[in-house]
Amino acid sequence: MTAIPEIEASADPARNSRRVALIVAIAFFMQLLDSTIISTSLPQMGASFGVPAVAMSIGITIYMLTMAVFVPLSGWLADRFGARNIFLVAIALFTLASLACGFSENLTEFVAARAAQGLGSALMTPVGRILVLRNASKSELLNATALITWPALFAPVVGPVLGGFITTYLSWHWNFFINIPLGLIGLALVARFIPGDREADPKPLDWPGFFLTSAGLACLLCGLERIAHPDDGVLPTVLLVAAGIVIGWLAVRHLRRAPHPLLDLSSFKVLTFAISTLAAGTIFRVAINATPFLLPLLFQVGFGMSPVDAGMMILAYFLGNLGMKTVTTPMLRHFGFRSVMVVNGIIASASIMACAAISPQTPQALVVGLMLIAGLSRSMQFTALNTLAFADIAAAQRSSAATLSSMLQQVAMLFGVAIAAAILNLSQIARAQPALDLVDFRVTFLVIGVIGLVASFRFLVLPRTAGAEVSGHMAGNRKLNFPIHRRVKFHLRLAPWCRACARRRDGANNC
């Protein structure tokens, strides 16, 4: 199936790809900021609605469930109706739902608005990636991916701090109203600058695949989210996770046999995609996503810091995330994906484990330095993973690959938080103490760091040239890419063995 252009793209492909990526990044930032900003305002929202603060967690749960249900459908919708059109609908729906959240007067209205937000979010993330993939050549993919990655690094760090400030000095309503100008700007930029396309022969909707995939993902994500709340009971959590795994297995079985599957699983046959999303990538994302969850708790519960002081420490972590952006592309170009992801993964994992060694008595300069290193290495690994995932994906696989990547990242995000919360709770139970202590955080950081370390060595299965067309790695060796007969003569002058064909030098003709 080929894409039919609807709007002529910019005359400069590189400029157009950067512009598309920047516009998508604005939408991603709005979405991710909203996902993290409300966590600090739940008590105030509960008081406003006349319900306990714990009851407000349903707003987060319904958002996650709606997103899990409709994420698998996003790729098909983009192919059927055009990625740009679906992206416009996603931004508009998310913006209107944010307005409805801000004007909600009771819990029922808020839950309905959050469900609509979840639908917009489900369409926004994978379809945004599809737009970037369709408008960026392989040589521009690294820069484009770096642009759409920064919201995932920025929003989870700044969201709670900004949410606390808005809730304290304004009101919780503005946590949602802040999305309105961002959404309007995003709509205008998408309509003006992003070219549209649609599939010439869209496939029919795979209803069984949709129901199985959505149900499995929803059960699994709900189960993982409940791990962080052990007071809710162990049995429902186990049943949800088990149901998610079983239904997910049935979904995979169906997708492999269906004539027109909702999701094309052939992307997993591509080594770079499989490693960076399903295998080592998912495992390492567990460590990456656990760290922002653990750090605020470490500083406030373990160190006894105020929320403001803890926020300042997290700010150093955020600055490290941003600081690596200008370095990532040259590093990948010079060393290649495999070397960077192994070495940087080891550094990132070591920085996570080093968090177990700090205490309230540790000099603040050392703590800030550690936060910077952790943020720098996290940023580089995040960008490398997201770029390598699509380095070798064919045009026909892009929609399914973007959807699969989004689904797996959601699982990794919740799994990281769930694993961290579970280790904290198990450590506390093992000590038979009523409250968390610094030693519980030390155990958790060490375990999370080991998980990242194991995943880092897993990247060694990649060939040295993995993603070279995207990163530009090995470009300095292009002088060797001359015809075979010239390369043979070149090697004959260097050694008695021809390294081009591994035969002994007995004359150029025999080589």
Side-chain angles (χ1 to χ4, degrees), residues 143-162:
N143 290 327
T145 303
L147 283 175
I148 65 172
T149 298
W150 71 262
L153 300 168
F154 182 16
V157 177
V158 75
V161 178
L162 182 60

Side-chain angles (χ1 to χ4, degrees), residues 1 61 70 132 152 209 261 271 279 290 333-334 350 356 404 413-414 441 468 507:
M1 293 185 289
T61 303
F70 289 100
V132 172
L271 178 62
R333 181 174 292 118
H334 186 74
L404 291 168
M413 180 179 68
L414 281 175
F441 289 97

Side-chain angles (χ1 to χ4, degrees), residues 133-437:
L133 290 173
R134 290 180 178 176
N135 286 276
S137 63
K138 286 200 173 184
S139 60
E140 290 294 326
L141 185 59
L142 179 57
N143 290 327
T145 303
L147 283 175
I148 65 172
T149 298
W150 71 262
L153 300 168
F154 182 16
V157 177
V158 75
V161 178
L162 182 60
F165 178 85
I166 290 175
T167 303
T168 302
Y169 295 104
L170 296 173
S171 73
W172 65 264
H173 306 79
W174 287 96
N175 285 331
F176 298 100
F177 292 154
I178 196 175
N179 292 332
I180 309 306
L182 291 173
L184 293 176
I185 292 171
L187 285 171
L189 292 175
V190 171
R192 173 66 180 87
F193 293 110
I194 294 187
D197 57 7
R198 57 184 174 85
E199 290 295 326
D201 185 22
K203 61 187 179 183
L205 179 59
D206 175 20
W207 286 104
F210 169 60
F211 286 123
L212 286 172
T213 306
S214 298
L217 186 61
C219 289
L220 184 59
L221 292 182
C222 273
L224 292 175
E225 198 271 338
R226 287 176 65 95
I227 293 177
H229 307 284
D231 296 337
D232 296 340
V234 176
L235 182 59
T237 301
V238 173
L239 290 176
L240 281 170
V241 172
I245 293 173
V246 172
I247 299 173
W249 176 79
L250 292 174
V252 171
R253 184 184 180 192
H254 167 79
L255 293 173
R256 294 178 64 181
R257 298 180 177 183
H260 301 288
L262 178 70
L263 298 171
D264 180 9
L265 300 183
S266 66
S267 301
F268 290 123
K269 296 180 180 179
V270 180
L271 178 62
T272 49
F273 182 81
I275 289 294
S276 55
T277 58
L278 184 61
T282 295
I283 298 173
F284 200 91
R285 281 190 176 95
V286 168
I288 287 178
N289 290 307
T291 311
F293 165 76
L294 287 170
L295 286 174
L297 291 176
L298 171 68
F299 292 134
Q300 293 185 57
V301 179
F303 287 15
M305 289 183 174
S306 67
V308 175
D309 292 336
M312 294 305 294
M313 287 296 185
I314 301 299
L315 183 61
Y317 185 68
F318 154 66
L319 291 175
N321 280 321
L322 286 187
M324 185 56 80
K325 285 303 172 190
T326 57
V327 182
T328 300
T329 300
M331 291 283 285
L332 288 172
R333 181 174 292 118
H334 186 74
F335 296 105
F337 278 99
R338 190 182 79 162
S339 298
V340 167
M341 293 170 76
V342 172
V343 176
N344 183 71
I346 294 172
I347 295 172
S349 302
S351 68
I352 294 173
M353 289 187 283
C355 292
I358 60 177
S359 68
Q361 290 73 40
T362 304
Q364 191 174 31
L366 289 179
V367 178
V368 171
L370 177 59
M371 292 299 101
L372 285 171
I373 294 172
L376 288 167
S377 55
R378 176 177 183 260
S379 173
M380 176 171 286
Q381 201 76 352
F382 217 106
T383 301
L385 283 171
N386 289 342
T387 307
L388 184 63
F390 301 99
D392 301 315
I393 291 296
Q397 299 171 311
R398 287 172 183 167
S399 296
S400 290
T403 305
L404 291 168
S405 176
S406 297
M407 291 168 57
L408 289 168
Q409 287 192 34
Q410 285 294 320
V411 171
M413 180 179 68
L414 281 175
F415 198 39
V417 174
I419 287 292
I423 297 171
L424 281 174
N425 292 324
L426 289 173
S427 176
Q428 179 187 340
I429 292 171
R431 293 188 304 107
Q433 295 297 321
L436 291 173
D437 195 52

Side-chain angles (χ1 to χ4, degrees), residues 31 34 59 62-71 93-94 97 111-124:
Q31 171 208 2
D34 183 87
I62 195 68
Y63 177 91
M64 179 189 64
L65 276 176
T66 310
M67 188 166 63
V69 168
F70 289 100
V71 159
L93 182 59
F94 193 91
V111 169
R114 285 290 284 175
Q117 264 194 324
L119 174 57
S121 179
L123 301 178
M124 196 182 302

